[in-house]
Amino acid sequence: MSVSIVQKYNVPGPRYTSYPTVPYWEEENFHLEDWKRTLLQSFKESNAAEGISLYIHLPFCESLCTFCGCNKRITKRHEVEDPYITAIIKEWKLYCELFPTQPIIKEIHLGGGTPTFFSPENLERLINGIFDYATKAPEHEFSFEGHPNNTTKQHLQKLYNIGFRRVSFGVQDYSPHVQEAIHRVQPFHNVAKVTFWAKEIGYTSIGHDLIFGLPFQNLHDVQDTIDKTKSLFPDRLAFYSYAHVPWIKGNGQRGFNDEDLPKDDEKRELYEEGKKQLAKNGYHEIGMDHFALENDSMYTSFKEEKLHRNFMGYTASKTQLMIGLGVSSISDSWYSFAQNEKTIEDYYARLADNQLPVFKGHLLTSEDLIIRKHILNLMCQFSTSWKDKSLDFPELRSVLESLKEMEDDGLLTIQNESITVTEKGKPFVRNICMAFDLRLIKKAPETKLFSMTI
């Protein structure tokens, strides 16, 4: 890959887990009643046909990982578990009181923070509390994120017994000097142990999350991490680009300097080497930064053009309605987005007043909905089309004009009322999506908002 191409397109840009992206939400035009209205509209349109999704944010961690930009609360006090689970169940009950019929849950994902900070018994209480007011869809997919250092066999067995079949373990990198820099020291033995436990218990999809571009990381580190990973043969892999966003309030990105990070073409070389090694071992590239074996549901979904992307990342199945429970969680009714209070104290205070703990959101316009579909298509299938005239829009011609340079650089092809991302262009899919992002184009950010795209 040409160095000039990497440098040319390595600019700040969104990861497009939504459109519009959160910094471009029109908060002033949003009210809680709007969220409730679109929530009910989406529920009535989709609950019986496909079910709904739940994302549950569990924010507590015992120690701070300095690569992490997530919403978290660092504590070793496990007495925080019980009131937090009680609050989530109350939030869910408030939602269920709005619904005309009992919700059917197709998908649950426990994210964090560290979900396995919570005891197996408390996680069981959480899920049983959810199903006091809901039923499981016949083809449900329940997943959680496990920390290799504190996930026990009891965690895996208890969650398996209540319907969980997918688990992802945060690995990042196996090199001691990288682990020390990011304050995430976990030996290979710990990852191997939890992976084999999950296989033994019967989990059908085991994932490992890796990151390239970490401080002090070099080509040998990536090769060694991939070698160790393939020996455990997880069903799917996330191979994320490290998002360096130290300006975001409350994130843990410290303990190293900017000059300690691989830059531009050096960072891209880490990805290309990892991608090459994964391909040799039967992993197929799925969307952006994700890889899967052919037996995994994500590969099947990608081949059948059913892959979906939302605030949980890539999912193998789409639901129109996704409700986020817990502090800072984001919900999506398709017609609007809503985000919960960002601090635990404010989250608890709203629930104490018997209110949904939503503090901001965005009502999607008709133009937003069209752009969103194009960006979803590009992120999930590496192509999009406007042969269906409902996906045409007034600014499309100027978007296509702006993509001409990328076409000349071999990153995509434009033909027959469609765009297809080339193999060379896949690492630049965020840049391609940015050409459709009319809100970003009309109002370029005046401060740092996004991580670099490459």
Side-chain angles (χ1 to χ4, degrees):
M1 184 179 293
S2 166
V3 170
S4 63
I5 290 288
V6 174
Q7 293 176 340
K8 180 178 181 178
Y9 292 109
N10 192 23
V11 297
R15 287 179 179 253
Y16 292 111
T17 50
S18 74
Y19 181 81
T21 55
V22 176
Y24 287 91
W25 287 4
E26 295 178 351
E27 299 174 38
E28 65 279 6
N29 297 328
F30 177 86
H31 304 282
L32 183 58
E33 292 309 309
D34 294 319
W35 166 239
K36 290 180 180 179
R37 175 176 53 79
T38 65
L39 169 80
L40 287 175
Q41 178 184 351
S42 189
F43 182 87
K44 290 172 183 176
E45 291 173 355
S46 64
N47 183 56
E50 61 184 15
I52 71 173
S53 296
L54 292 185
Y55 170 76
I56 303 176
H57 190 70
L58 303 172
F60 302 110
C61 301
E62 287 197 342
S63 63
L64 180 68
C65 301
T66 59
F67 66 90
C68 179
C70 300
N71 181 292
K72 65 270 182 187
R73 179 69 64 93
I74 309 301
T75 181
K76 293 185 183 294
R77 295 173 51 246
H78 284 265
E79 58 265 33
V80 299
E81 294 182 33
D82 187 70
Y84 191 76
I85 287 174
T86 299
I88 288 179
I89 293 172
K90 180 172 183 178
E91 181 187 0
W92 175 236
K93 183 172 181 286
L94 290 174
Y95 270 111
C96 291
E97 288 170 353
L98 298 173
F99 298 144
T101 57
Q102 193 170 70
I104 300 167
I105 299 178
K106 184 175 184 179
E107 191 173 28
I108 293 176
H109 183 70
L110 308 181
T114 306
T116 47
F117 172 97
F118 289 76
S119 71
E121 294 72 24
N122 273 333
L123 292 176
E124 181 182 45
R125 182 167 79 85
L126 168 63
I127 301 304
N128 287 341
I130 295 295
F131 284 105
D132 282 343
Y133 308 99
T135 56
K136 294 178 185 176
E139 298 293 325
H140 57 270
E141 184 173 284
F142 299 167
S143 60
F144 73 98
E145 298 166 11
H147 192 316
N149 285 354
N150 67 14
T151 299
T152 64
K153 196 169 186 179
Q154 289 72 31
H155 278 113
L156 290 159
Q157 188 66 62
K158 189 78 77 173
L159 288 168
Y160 182 88
N161 291 347
I162 52 180
F164 284 72
R165 294 295 181 270
R166 188 168 76 78
V167 57
S168 60
F169 296 113
V171 174
Q172 301 16 297
D173 185 283
Y174 284 114
S175 308
H177 64 280
V178 175
Q179 290 190 355
E180 288 171 12
I182 64 175
H183 202 237
R184 178 69 176 249
V185 176
Q186 55 187 28
F188 173 73
H189 169 76
N190 286 5
V191 182
K193 181 174 61 177
V194 293
T195 300
F196 289 133
W197 279 342
K199 290 183 178 183
E200 176 189 332
I201 288 168
Y203 281 79
T204 55
S205 181
I206 300 166
H208 287 185
D209 293 347
L210 312 178
I211 299 178
F212 67 93
L214 290 168
F216 306 110
Q217 191 180 49
N218 57 43
L219 205 56
H220 172 76
D221 297 328
V222 169
Q223 290 167 337
D224 180 64
T225 294
I226 298 292
D227 281 343
K228 286 183 168 68
T229 298
K230 70 186 183 186
S231 73
L232 301 179
F233 223 48
D235 302 282
R236 66 174 70 168
L237 286 160
F239 191 35
Y240 294 117
S241 168
Y242 167 59
H244 190 54
V245 286
W247 55 85
I248 293 179
K249 182 181 178 182
N251 88 35
Q253 295 177 338
R254 56 180 182 268
F256 51 87
N257 299 315
D258 286 2
E259 57 266 26
D260 299 325
L261 300 169
K263 298 291 193 303
D264 294 341
D265 46 296
E266 181 188 359
K267 181 179 179 183
R268 200 68 224 168
E269 187 181 11
L270 300 180
Y271 177 78
E272 294 299 333
E273 177 63 24
K275 178 179 172 181
K276 182 175 73 175
Q277 295 301 324
L278 291 171
K280 282 183 183 177
N281 290 279
Y283 290 94
H284 297 267
E285 190 170 15
I286 309 293
M288 181 183 74
D289 300 341
H290 284 68
F291 299 81
L293 297 174
E294 290 187 4
N295 64 286
D296 191 80
S297 61
M298 187 168 280
Y299 174 81
T300 304
S301 182
F302 177 71
K303 296 302 287 185
E304 294 177 353
E305 298 189 353
K306 294 178 180 177
L307 193 67
H308 185 55
R309 185 169 173 83
N310 56 27
F311 292 104
M312 296 190 288
Y314 284 108
T315 65
S317 59
K318 175 187 177 295
T319 61
Q320 182 172 308
L321 177 58
M322 187 199 83
I323 295 176
L325 302 176
V327 63
S328 79
S329 285
I330 299 178
S331 299
D332 176 3
S333 71
W334 188 258
Y335 307 108
S336 71
F337 302 127
Q339 184 171 22
N340 279 355
E341 294 284 359
K342 287 189 173 183
T343 71
I344 292 172
E345 292 76 14
D346 290 339
Y347 174 73
Y348 285 166
R350 288 283 192 111
L351 290 171
D353 288 338
N354 294 312
Q355 297 178 27
L356 290 179
V358 170
F359 88 103
K360 72 174 183 179
H362 175 82
L363 277 170
L364 278 79
T365 65
S366 56
E367 181 182 80
D368 288 340
L369 289 167
I370 294 171
I371 300 299
R372 180 184 193 182
K373 289 178 182 176
H374 284 297
I375 288 177
L376 270 174
N377 290 342
L378 288 164
M379 294 296 289
C380 295
Q381 302 301 330
F382 293 122
S383 64
T384 194
S385 167
W386 50 98
K387 291 173 184 175
D388 179 344
K389 297 306 178 187
S390 68
L391 292 181
D392 200 345
F393 57 99
E395 292 90 346
L396 178 60
R397 305 302 167 259
S398 62
V399 169
L400 296 177
E401 191 61 34
S402 72
L403 287 170
K404 286 290 186 184
E405 189 171 358
M406 290 189 191
E407 185 176 36
D408 292 341
D409 287 332
L411 307 185
L412 56 88
T413 58
I414 304 172
Q415 57 184 2
N416 300 326
E417 300 180 302
S418 67
I419 293 170
T420 302
V421 181
T422 64
E423 193 64 32
K424 180 181 179 182
K426 286 181 180 180
F428 303 94
V429 67
R430 288 166 70 183
N431 301 78
I432 296 168
C433 290
M434 286 167 68
F436 282 85
D437 191 337
L438 299 184
R439 290 180 178 272
L440 178 66
I441 292 166
K442 290 171 184 174
K443 187 180 179 183
E446 296 175 359
T447 59
K448 291 181 178 180
L449 293 178
F450 306 113
S451 61
M452 303 299 278
T453 57
I454 310 299

